[in-house]
Amino acid sequence: MKLTLSSLPHTWILDVDGTIVKHNGYKIDGYDTLLAGVKEFFASLPSQDRVILLTARKAEYLPALKEFLTKNQIRYDHIITDVPMGERILVNDNKPSGLCMSFAISKERNSPLCIPFTINLHI
């Protein structure tokens, strides 16, 4: 599925474990490992976009996670810890023009991060 996005700034909300790093790698291996495609995906995001990361990790693991992300040049604006392990539900309203204002993507755990998108300057 390829997303067609407007030229407006976007907000990307991504889970950490199993989405951008190996699930529970920090526990199993003692360190995090980036998944394939993560650096390329983050490099493709427009500079005006915002990135919010969600994780079920406890806040005590936040300093190590931030250090890892910085070392690997993974940009983010906010990280929310202690998120419940259940489903994450995104709810947003559409613009009066009809522009869809929310998308949800579920990916296979630990698979490469690949979210193809294009920016349509006419929407």
Side-chain angles (χ1 to χ4, degrees), residues 68-105:
F68 173 82
L69 295 170
T70 300
K71 176 182 169 190
N72 285 279
Q73 301 176 325
I74 303 301
R75 67 180 254 224
Y76 62 89
D77 296 286
H78 303 285
I79 302 176
I80 302 172
T81 60
D82 298 293
V83 175
M85 289 192 259
E87 296 89 348
R88 280 100 196 243
I89 300 107
L90 172 62
V91 179
N92 200 0
D93 63 316
N94 289 329
K95 295 250 186 235
S97 67
L99 180 63
C100 181
M101 296 300 293
S102 61
F103 297 95
I105 299 166

Short mmCIF file of all heavy atoms in Angstrom, two decimals, residues 68-105:
data_model
loop_
_atom_site.label_atom_id
_atom_site.label_comp_id
_atom_site.label_asym_id
_atom_site.label_seq_id
_atom_site.Cartn_x
_atom_site.Cartn_y
_atom_site.Cartn_z
N PHE A 68 20.57 5.59 22.07
CA PHE A 68 20.62 4.71 20.90
C PHE A 68 20.09 5.42 19.65
O PHE A 68 20.70 5.36 18.58
CB PHE A 68 19.83 3.43 21.17
CG PHE A 68 19.69 2.56 19.96
CD1 PHE A 68 20.71 1.70 19.59
CD2 PHE A 68 18.54 2.60 19.19
CE1 PHE A 68 20.59 0.90 18.45
CE2 PHE A 68 18.41 1.81 18.06
CZ PHE A 68 19.43 0.95 17.69
N LEU A 69 18.93 6.07 19.78
CA LEU A 69 18.33 6.75 18.64
C LEU A 69 19.23 7.88 18.13
O LEU A 69 19.41 8.04 16.92
CB LEU A 69 16.94 7.28 19.00
CG LEU A 69 15.89 6.22 19.33
CD1 LEU A 69 14.65 6.85 19.92
CD2 LEU A 69 15.55 5.39 18.10
N THR A 70 19.79 8.64 19.04
CA THR A 70 20.69 9.74 18.66
C THR A 70 21.92 9.20 17.96
O THR A 70 22.32 9.72 16.91
CB THR A 70 21.08 10.57 19.90
OG1 THR A 70 19.89 11.11 20.48
CG2 THR A 70 22.02 11.70 19.54
N LYS A 71 22.52 8.16 18.52
CA LYS A 71 23.71 7.54 17.94
C LYS A 71 23.43 7.06 16.52
O LYS A 71 24.30 7.14 15.64
CB LYS A 71 24.17 6.38 18.81
CG LYS A 71 25.33 5.60 18.27
CD LYS A 71 25.67 4.42 19.18
CE LYS A 71 26.66 3.50 18.51
NZ LYS A 71 26.83 2.25 19.24
N ASN A 72 22.22 6.58 16.28
CA ASN A 72 21.85 6.05 14.96
C ASN A 72 21.14 7.07 14.07
O ASN A 72 20.62 6.73 13.03
CB ASN A 72 20.98 4.80 15.13
CG ASN A 72 21.82 3.62 15.56
OD1 ASN A 72 22.46 2.99 14.73
ND2 ASN A 72 21.87 3.35 16.85
N GLN A 73 21.13 8.32 14.52
CA GLN A 73 20.56 9.43 13.74
C GLN A 73 19.10 9.20 13.38
O GLN A 73 18.67 9.48 12.26
CB GLN A 73 21.41 9.72 12.51
CG GLN A 73 22.84 10.08 12.85
CD GLN A 73 23.72 10.26 11.65
OE1 GLN A 73 23.57 9.57 10.64
NE2 GLN A 73 24.65 11.19 11.74
N ILE A 74 18.35 8.69 14.35
CA ILE A 74 16.90 8.51 14.18
C ILE A 74 16.22 9.68 14.88
O ILE A 74 16.31 9.83 16.08
CB ILE A 74 16.42 7.17 14.77
CG1 ILE A 74 17.17 5.99 14.15
CG2 ILE A 74 14.91 7.03 14.62
CD1 ILE A 74 17.03 5.87 12.64
N ARG A 75 15.59 10.52 14.09
CA ARG A 75 14.98 11.73 14.65
C ARG A 75 13.63 11.41 15.29
O ARG A 75 12.91 10.51 14.86
CB ARG A 75 14.84 12.80 13.58
CG ARG A 75 13.85 12.45 12.50
CD ARG A 75 13.76 13.54 11.47
NE ARG A 75 12.52 14.26 11.64
CZ ARG A 75 11.73 14.61 10.64
NH1 ARG A 75 12.05 14.33 9.40
NH2 ARG A 75 10.62 15.25 10.88
N TYR A 76 13.32 12.17 16.31
CA TYR A 76 12.03 12.07 16.97
C TYR A 76 11.78 13.39 17.67
O TYR A 76 12.71 14.13 17.99
CB TYR A 76 11.99 10.90 17.97
CG TYR A 76 12.99 11.05 19.10
CD1 TYR A 76 12.64 11.71 20.27
CD2 TYR A 76 14.28 10.58 18.97
CE1 TYR A 76 13.56 11.90 21.29
CE2 TYR A 76 15.21 10.76 19.98
CZ TYR A 76 14.84 11.41 21.14
OH TYR A 76 15.76 11.60 22.13
N ASP A 77 10.52 13.68 17.91
CA ASP A 77 10.14 14.89 18.63
C ASP A 77 9.69 14.57 20.05
O ASP A 77 9.92 15.34 20.96
CB ASP A 77 9.04 15.65 17.88
CG ASP A 77 9.56 16.15 16.54
OD1 ASP A 77 10.33 17.11 16.53
OD2 ASP A 77 9.20 15.54 15.50
N HIS A 78 9.04 13.42 20.20
CA HIS A 78 8.55 12.99 21.52
C HIS A 78 8.63 11.47 21.60
O HIS A 78 8.44 10.78 20.60
CB HIS A 78 7.09 13.41 21.75
CG HIS A 78 6.86 14.88 21.63
ND1 HIS A 78 7.23 15.78 22.58
CD2 HIS A 78 6.31 15.61 20.63
CE1 HIS A 78 6.91 17.00 22.19
NE2 HIS A 78 6.35 16.92 21.01
N ILE A 79 8.88 10.98 22.81
CA ILE A 79 8.80 9.55 23.08
C ILE A 79 7.87 9.38 24.27
O ILE A 79 8.07 10.00 25.32
CB ILE A 79 10.17 8.93 23.40
CG1 ILE A 79 11.16 9.15 22.25
CG2 ILE A 79 10.01 7.43 23.69
CD1 ILE A 79 12.57 8.65 22.55
N ILE A 80 6.87 8.53 24.11
CA ILE A 80 5.93 8.25 25.18
C ILE A 80 6.21 6.83 25.67
O ILE A 80 6.13 5.87 24.88
CB ILE A 80 4.48 8.39 24.71
CG1 ILE A 80 4.24 9.81 24.18
CG2 ILE A 80 3.50 8.06 25.85
CD1 ILE A 80 2.89 10.00 23.50
N THR A 81 6.55 6.69 26.96
CA THR A 81 6.85 5.39 27.54
C THR A 81 5.65 4.87 28.32
O THR A 81 4.65 5.57 28.49
CB THR A 81 8.06 5.48 28.50
OG1 THR A 81 7.75 6.41 29.54
CG2 THR A 81 9.32 5.92 27.77
N ASP A 82 5.76 3.64 28.79
CA ASP A 82 4.73 3.01 29.62
C ASP A 82 3.38 2.91 28.92
O ASP A 82 2.32 2.94 29.57
CB ASP A 82 4.57 3.76 30.95
CG ASP A 82 5.84 3.74 31.79
OD1 ASP A 82 6.21 2.65 32.24
OD2 ASP A 82 6.45 4.82 31.97
N VAL A 83 3.40 2.79 27.59
CA VAL A 83 2.16 2.65 26.82
C VAL A 83 1.66 1.21 26.98
O VAL A 83 2.46 0.27 26.90
CB VAL A 83 2.43 2.98 25.33
CG1 VAL A 83 1.21 2.73 24.48
CG2 VAL A 83 2.89 4.43 25.18
N PRO A 84 0.37 1.00 27.23
CA PRO A 84 -0.14 -0.37 27.37
C PRO A 84 0.19 -1.22 26.13
O PRO A 84 0.31 -0.70 25.03
CB PRO A 84 -1.65 -0.18 27.51
CG PRO A 84 -1.81 1.21 28.01
CD PRO A 84 -0.68 2.00 27.39
N MET A 85 0.30 -2.53 26.35
CA MET A 85 0.68 -3.44 25.27
C MET A 85 -0.47 -3.78 24.33
O MET A 85 -0.25 -4.43 23.31
CB MET A 85 1.27 -4.72 25.85
CG MET A 85 2.62 -4.51 26.46
SD MET A 85 3.42 -6.06 26.83
CE MET A 85 3.11 -6.17 28.59
N GLY A 86 -1.67 -3.33 24.62
CA GLY A 86 -2.82 -3.62 23.77
C GLY A 86 -2.82 -2.78 22.50
O GLY A 86 -1.87 -2.06 22.20
N GLU A 87 -3.92 -2.85 21.77
CA GLU A 87 -4.05 -2.12 20.51
C GLU A 87 -3.87 -0.62 20.72
O GLU A 87 -4.22 -0.08 21.76
CB GLU A 87 -5.45 -2.36 19.90
CG GLU A 87 -5.72 -3.78 19.49
CD GLU A 87 -6.32 -4.63 20.59
OE1 GLU A 87 -6.34 -4.21 21.77
OE2 GLU A 87 -6.78 -5.73 20.28
N ARG A 88 -3.36 0.03 19.68
CA ARG A 88 -3.24 1.49 19.66
C ARG A 88 -4.24 2.00 18.63
O ARG A 88 -4.23 1.57 17.48
CB ARG A 88 -1.82 1.93 19.30
CG ARG A 88 -0.85 1.85 20.49
CD ARG A 88 -0.02 0.61 20.45
NE ARG A 88 0.65 0.30 21.71
CZ ARG A 88 1.96 0.29 21.84
NH1 ARG A 88 2.73 0.61 20.84
NH2 ARG A 88 2.49 -0.06 22.99
N ILE A 89 -5.11 2.88 19.05
CA ILE A 89 -6.19 3.34 18.19
C ILE A 89 -6.00 4.82 17.90
O ILE A 89 -5.92 5.63 18.82
CB ILE A 89 -7.57 3.10 18.89
CG1 ILE A 89 -7.76 1.61 19.17
CG2 ILE A 89 -8.70 3.63 18.04
CD1 ILE A 89 -7.64 1.23 20.60
N LEU A 90 -5.92 5.18 16.62
CA LEU A 90 -5.77 6.57 16.21
C LEU A 90 -7.13 7.07 15.73
O LEU A 90 -7.75 6.46 14.86
CB LEU A 90 -4.75 6.70 15.07
CG LEU A 90 -4.62 8.07 14.42
CD1 LEU A 90 -4.16 9.11 15.44
CD2 LEU A 90 -3.69 8.02 13.24
N VAL A 91 -7.58 8.17 16.31
CA VAL A 91 -8.85 8.77 15.92
C VAL A 91 -8.60 10.22 15.57
O VAL A 91 -7.97 10.95 16.33
CB VAL A 91 -9.90 8.67 17.07
CG1 VAL A 91 -11.20 9.31 16.65
CG2 VAL A 91 -10.09 7.22 17.50
N ASN A 92 -9.07 10.64 14.42
CA ASN A 92 -8.90 12.02 13.97
C ASN A 92 -10.08 12.37 13.07
O ASN A 92 -10.74 11.49 12.52
CB ASN A 92 -7.57 12.17 13.21
CG ASN A 92 -7.09 13.60 13.14
OD1 ASN A 92 -7.73 14.51 13.64
ND2 ASN A 92 -5.96 13.81 12.51
N ASP A 93 -10.34 13.67 12.92
CA ASP A 93 -11.42 14.11 12.03
C ASP A 93 -10.85 14.46 10.66
O ASP A 93 -9.70 14.87 10.55
CB ASP A 93 -12.16 15.32 12.62
CG ASP A 93 -11.27 16.53 12.77
OD1 ASP A 93 -10.12 16.37 13.23
OD2 ASP A 93 -11.70 17.64 12.42
N ASN A 94 -11.66 14.28 9.60
CA ASN A 94 -11.25 14.65 8.25
C ASN A 94 -11.46 16.14 8.03
O ASN A 94 -12.31 16.76 8.67
CB ASN A 94 -12.03 13.85 7.21
CG ASN A 94 -11.62 12.39 7.19
OD1 ASN A 94 -10.47 12.07 7.45
ND2 ASN A 94 -12.56 11.52 6.88
N LYS A 95 -10.69 16.70 7.13
CA LYS A 95 -10.85 18.11 6.76
C LYS A 95 -12.17 18.28 6.01
O LYS A 95 -12.63 17.36 5.33
CB LYS A 95 -9.69 18.56 5.87
CG LYS A 95 -8.35 18.54 6.56
CD LYS A 95 -7.88 19.93 6.78
CE LYS A 95 -6.48 19.94 7.34
NZ LYS A 95 -6.39 20.67 8.56
N PRO A 96 -12.79 19.46 6.08
CA PRO A 96 -14.02 19.70 5.32
C PRO A 96 -13.84 19.47 3.82
O PRO A 96 -14.79 19.13 3.12
CB PRO A 96 -14.35 21.17 5.62
CG PRO A 96 -13.73 21.42 6.96
CD PRO A 96 -12.47 20.58 6.97
N SER A 97 -12.59 19.61 3.33
CA SER A 97 -12.32 19.38 1.90
C SER A 97 -12.43 17.90 1.55
O SER A 97 -12.44 17.55 0.37
CB SER A 97 -10.91 19.86 1.56
OG SER A 97 -9.94 19.05 2.22
N GLY A 98 -12.48 17.03 2.57
CA GLY A 98 -12.53 15.60 2.33
C GLY A 98 -11.18 14.91 2.51
O GLY A 98 -11.09 13.69 2.41
N LEU A 99 -10.14 15.69 2.80
CA LEU A 99 -8.82 15.11 3.00
C LEU A 99 -8.83 14.17 4.20
O LEU A 99 -9.22 14.55 5.30
CB LEU A 99 -7.77 16.22 3.23
CG LEU A 99 -6.33 15.76 3.45
CD1 LEU A 99 -5.79 15.04 2.22
CD2 LEU A 99 -5.45 16.94 3.81
N CYS A 100 -8.46 12.92 3.97
CA CYS A 100 -8.37 11.92 5.04
C CYS A 100 -7.23 12.31 5.96
O CYS A 100 -6.11 12.50 5.51
CB CYS A 100 -8.15 10.54 4.44
SG CYS A 100 -8.06 9.25 5.70
N MET A 101 -7.50 12.42 7.25
CA MET A 101 -6.50 12.92 8.20
C MET A 101 -5.88 11.84 9.08
O MET A 101 -5.14 12.16 10.01
CB MET A 101 -7.13 14.01 9.07
CG MET A 101 -7.55 15.24 8.27
SD MET A 101 -6.17 16.02 7.41
CE MET A 101 -5.23 16.63 8.79
N SER A 102 -6.15 10.57 8.80
CA SER A 102 -5.50 9.53 9.59
C SER A 102 -5.35 8.24 8.78
O SER A 102 -6.18 7.93 7.93
CB SER A 102 -6.27 9.25 10.88
OG SER A 102 -7.57 8.79 10.60
N PHE A 103 -4.27 7.57 9.04
CA PHE A 103 -3.99 6.27 8.45
C PHE A 103 -3.49 5.36 9.56
O PHE A 103 -2.88 5.84 10.52
CB PHE A 103 -2.90 6.36 7.37
CG PHE A 103 -3.27 7.21 6.19
CD1 PHE A 103 -2.90 8.54 6.13
CD2 PHE A 103 -3.99 6.68 5.14
CE1 PHE A 103 -3.24 9.34 5.05
CE2 PHE A 103 -4.35 7.47 4.05
CZ PHE A 103 -3.97 8.80 4.01
N ALA A 104 -3.70 4.08 9.44
CA ALA A 104 -3.14 3.11 10.38
C ALA A 104 -2.50 1.99 9.57
O ALA A 104 -3.08 1.50 8.60
CB ALA A 104 -4.23 2.56 11.29
N ILE A 105 -1.30 1.62 9.97
CA ILE A 105 -0.56 0.57 9.29
C ILE A 105 -0.09 -0.42 10.34
O ILE A 105 0.56 -0.04 11.31
CB ILE A 105 0.66 1.16 8.53
CG1 ILE A 105 0.19 2.16 7.49
CG2 ILE A 105 1.50 0.05 7.92
CD1 ILE A 105 1.28 3.03 6.92
#
